[in-house]
Amino acid sequence: MDRRGWVGPTARTSVFSWAARRMAARLGAGGHPVHARNGSGLFEKPGPATLSLPDAVDRIRQALGSPPDLVIRPLGPEGPWVLFLHSLADVRLVADAVVRPLLTASGDGRASVGPDSIEVPNVDPVKDEQTAVRQLLDGHTILVERDGALWTLTTAKRPGRAVEEPSNETGIRVPREGFTEELEVSIALIRARLRHPGLRLEERRCGTRTGTRVILAYMEDIIDPEILSTVRQRLDRIQLDGVLESGYVEEFIEDAPFSPFPQVLRTERPDVVVANLLEGRFAILVDGTPFALIGPVVLPQMLLSAEDYYERTVLTSWVRWLRFAAFVISLTLPGLYVAVTSFHPEVIPTPLLFSIAGAREGIPFPPLVEAILMELQFEMLREAGLRLPRTVGPAISIVGALVLGEAAFRANIVSPAMVIVVAMTGIASFTAPLFSIAMAARLLRFAFTIAGGVFGLLGLQAVGVLLVVHLCALRSFGVPYLSPMAPLRVRDWSHVVARPPWWATRTRPAFVLPKDLMRAPSSGRRGGGHR
C-alpha cells in the first residue's frame, strides 16, 4: 500500500493539488482519498477517508499497475467503492448515473447501498477480479460492495471518429455511411438496416494481451450450419498476443493463406454486409478497425460493386462484363505483347508490325526487359501515390508516370508501344472494385509477362492452365472459388454474371448453401412479373 493520495490526472489547479497532498498526509500510510474531475463536481472533493483499501480493490489496482487514469471513489468509510479508468469511461455518466444515485440512496454516505440504485443500462455481476480488470480495460465501471461483491456497470466511452463515407469504396448511387473503428457503432449500422430477430451476434476475445473483441454476425435461419461451425472453429483456434486489425483474423480463417487470391471479402460498407448476410454468408467485425470480413466468397463476387445492385439492370450488367474483361486484360496484356513481338510476329498485321519495328529501332533492351522495367516503375509510382499525403499523392503519381514515360521514350529506353501497353494495363487494373483482388492481378501479371517473354504463347498458356487449376482447387469455407462457373450452376449466374431485376430475383445463390433458398415473395412488376 503506498502513502500517496489518489488524485485524478485532470485536476487543473495547484490549489486542488495542494489540498489533495494535505489530505493524504493526514490519512497516513493507509489513506486513499480519490479524486477525479468532471462537470458535475462529484469527484472534485476527496471522498471519506478510510484506513485501507478493501482487498478486492487493492488487488485490482495492483493488477493494473496503479495507472494514473485509474479512479477509485469510496462512497462511505467502509464502501462501497467505484472504480473506472477515466480515459475510457464516460466520466459524466459515472457521476450522474452511478455516484450521485448511490450517494442519494445512502443519505449521509454511510448506509448500505447496492446496484439497485444505479441508473446505467446494464448492471451485471462479476465472478472474479480478473474479469473485473478486463471490464475496466473495456471502459466499464466496477462497483465493489462492502461484502466484496463485484458488479460491472456499462459506462464505456472511448474516443472515436464520426460515421463517414468509406474512402475506398466510393460510388455515385450508394449510401454514404461506413463502419468506424468503434465496434458498437458498426453493430448499430448493421442493426439499423437489418431489423430482424434472426440476426445473431456472437462475441469472442482474440489476443491474449490485447483482448480484442471480435463479433461473428449471421442470420440464424439462413446460414448453412456447417459453414457456421467451420468459422467458429477457426476463430476459436486463434492464438496470438495481439489482434490489432481484421487482417490478423483473416490469415487465421482462410482456407489457403498462401494463395494470392483473397478468400474473404473486406468491406467498409454496412449495406454490403447486410446484403451478404441476407444471402446466407457471415460477417466478422473486429474492434479497432472499420473493415468487416465476409465469407464464403467466390472469385466473380470480388469483381462486383455495391452500386451494381442500385442502378438499372442493363447498365450494371454491361459494366460487370467490362469489369471482367478489364481484369483479364490487367493479367495478360503485357505478357501477350511480349510473347507476340518476341516469338510470334506473324500474327501481327503487317502495317502494325512495321510500325512496332520502326518504333523499337534503337531500343537497347529486349521486350521482356523493357516490360519488366516499365511495370516495376509503374508499381513504384502507384505505391508512392498511396503513401504520400492525399492532397499530393494522386498528382505526383499521374505527373510522375507522364514525365517518366515521356523521358524514357525520348531517351530510347522503351518504345512508344510498350508505354501504351503498360498504361492500358494500369487503367484496366484500376477497374477492380477491391484492392485485394487488384493486388493479386498485379502480382500474377509478372508471372504472365516472364512466361510470355521466355516461352512465347506456350508459356502464357501454361501459366493460364496453372492459374485455372489453382482456382478450381481453391475453397472459401468449403465453397468452390469459381462458383457458379465451376461447378456449373447456370441458375446462379444471375447473381454474378448479369443482374436481373429485383422483382425477378426469387432465390438466393445456391452455391452459398443457404438453409432457406427462397427470398421473401414480392408482388411482381407490371410488364414483367414472376415466372
Side-chain angles (χ1 to χ4, degrees):
M1 308 290 291
D2 58 15
R3 296 176 176 269
R4 60 191 175 90
W6 286 87
V7 181
T10 54
R12 300 177 181 175
T13 65
S14 59
V15 175
F16 178 70
S17 301
W18 174 82
R21 291 194 296 271
R22 291 290 302 272
M23 177 63 72
R26 287 198 299 270
L27 289 175
H32 292 275
V34 183
H35 313 282
R37 186 177 180 89
N38 77 334
S40 65
L42 289 180
F43 299 130
E44 293 182 4
K45 297 179 180 181
T50 61
L51 296 179
S52 63
L53 290 173
D55 292 340
V57 176
D58 190 52
R59 284 193 292 267
I60 292 174
R61 178 178 64 84
Q62 292 180 3
L64 292 172
S66 302
D69 58 343
L70 175 64
V71 177
I72 303 175
R73 176 66 156 93
L75 301 180
E78 299 180 359
W81 298 75
V82 174
L83 293 77
F84 64 93
L85 295 171
H86 77 82
S87 58
L88 297 177
D90 188 342
V91 179
R92 184 175 297 277
L93 178 62
V94 175
D96 295 340
V98 178
V99 176
R100 190 187 302 277
L102 289 176
L103 291 176
T104 302
S106 63
D108 59 355
R110 298 177 181 272
S112 176
V113 294
D116 295 338
S117 306
I118 297 174
E119 301 175 357
V120 297
N122 295 326
V123 180
D124 300 314
V126 180
K127 59 182 180 180
D128 52 35
E129 293 161 8
Q130 184 178 2
T131 305
V133 170
R134 188 168 64 244
Q135 293 294 326
L136 281 173
L137 294 174
D138 283 340
H140 303 308
T141 297
I142 297 299
L143 173 66
V144 183
E145 294 192 90
R146 295 176 180 177
D147 59 359
L150 302 175
W151 299 83
T152 178
L153 319 174
T154 304
T155 58
K157 183 185 177 182
R158 77 176 192 187
R161 62 186 177 94
V163 176
E164 302 171 351
E165 181 180 2
S167 58
N168 297 319
E169 300 175 70
T170 58
I172 304 300
R173 189 177 180 178
V174 292
R176 306 301 180 186
E177 293 179 331
F179 291 131
T180 68
E181 288 76 9
E182 191 169 353
L183 192 58
E184 283 74 15
V185 175
S186 300
I187 294 175
L189 291 174
I190 294 177
R191 285 200 177 275
R193 289 168 171 79
L194 189 53
R195 302 179 182 93
H196 192 276
L199 176 62
R200 296 290 181 266
L201 301 173
E202 298 181 4
E203 181 175 345
R204 284 169 171 77
R205 296 278 179 165
C206 295
T208 55
R209 295 188 181 276
T210 59
T212 307
R213 299 170 59 198
V214 176
I215 296 294
L216 173 62
Y218 59 92
M219 294 296 293
E220 186 181 31
D221 55 338
I222 302 178
I223 192 170
D224 178 57
E226 293 186 7
I227 293 177
L228 182 59
S229 176
T230 300
V231 67
R232 283 172 174 167
Q233 293 175 4
R234 295 181 183 181
L235 287 175
D236 292 338
R237 75 185 184 192
I238 296 178
Q239 297 294 330
L240 204 61
D241 276 354
V243 174
L244 305 180
E245 211 274 337
S246 59
Y248 289 60
V249 178
E250 180 180 354
E251 293 191 12
F252 274 94
I253 65 175
E254 283 183 321
D255 290 66
F258 293 103
S259 173
F261 292 92
Q263 292 118 63
V264 294
L265 176 65
R266 285 171 281 179
T267 181
E268 295 181 80
R269 307 195 63 89
D271 56 321
V272 173
V273 170
V274 171
N276 282 275
L277 292 179
L278 292 175
E279 289 188 347
R281 298 181 177 90
F282 64 83
I284 296 176
L285 306 174
V286 180
D287 194 18
T289 175
F291 290 95
L293 306 178
I294 298 174
V297 294
V298 295
L299 178 61
Q301 185 182 358
M302 295 293 182
L303 299 173
L304 305 184
S305 172
E307 201 170 12
D308 294 350
Y309 297 91
Y310 306 144
E311 285 290 353
R312 300 180 63 83
T313 59
V314 176
L315 300 178
T316 56
S317 299
W318 179 81
V319 171
R320 281 186 182 183
W321 300 336
L322 181 64
R323 213 176 285 138
F324 294 154
F327 180 73
V328 175
I329 290 174
S330 67
L331 272 176
T332 61
L333 183 58
L336 182 62
Y337 173 80
V338 171
V340 169
T341 55
S342 301
F343 294 92
H344 312 281
E346 65 276 3
V347 303
I348 305 177
T350 303
L352 180 59
L353 180 60
F354 287 156
S355 176
I356 294 175
R360 284 195 50 78
E361 187 175 354
I363 302 298
F365 304 111
L368 176 60
V369 176
E370 189 181 358
I372 294 296
L373 289 176
M374 287 297 295
E375 285 291 342
L376 288 175
Q377 188 63 52
F378 192 84
E379 291 298 325
M380 286 188 286
L381 280 171
R382 177 154 39 187
E383 189 68 16
L386 290 175
R387 307 305 165 205
L388 288 172
R390 293 184 179 182
T391 54
V392 298
I396 292 297
S397 60
I398 294 174
V399 173
L402 293 175
V403 170
L404 285 177
E406 179 69 17
F409 163 66
R410 292 185 177 276
N412 282 337
I413 298 177
V414 296
S415 63
M418 182 59 71
V419 174
I420 295 174
V421 168
V422 172
M424 290 179 60
T425 305
I427 293 173
S429 66
F430 290 143
T431 61
L434 300 178
F435 180 76
S436 55
I437 196 67
M439 285 290 294
R442 289 161 59 180
L443 177 63
L444 293 172
R445 185 187 309 147
F446 286 95
F448 278 96
T449 302
I450 295 173
V454 176
F455 301 105
L457 293 179
L458 183 61
L460 285 180
Q461 294 174 359
V463 174
V465 169
L466 292 176
L467 178 60
V468 172
V469 169
H470 171 70
L471 293 175
C472 289
L474 202 57
R475 296 287 187 274
S476 176
F477 297 91
V479 176
Y481 200 60
L482 287 183
S483 298
M485 278 76 73
L488 183 63
R489 290 190 178 97
V490 179
R491 292 186 59 183
D492 287 343
W493 281 22
S494 60
H495 297 284
V496 293
V497 179
R499 185 181 76 82
W502 278 114
W503 47 264
T505 305
R506 304 189 60 184
T507 61
R508 296 183 174 91
F511 55 82
V512 186
L513 307 176
K515 288 195 295 186
D516 185 7
L517 188 60
M518 300 300 297
R519 296 181 185 268
S522 58
S523 59
R525 179 183 181 275
R526 187 180 56 148
H530 293 302
R531 290 181 286 178

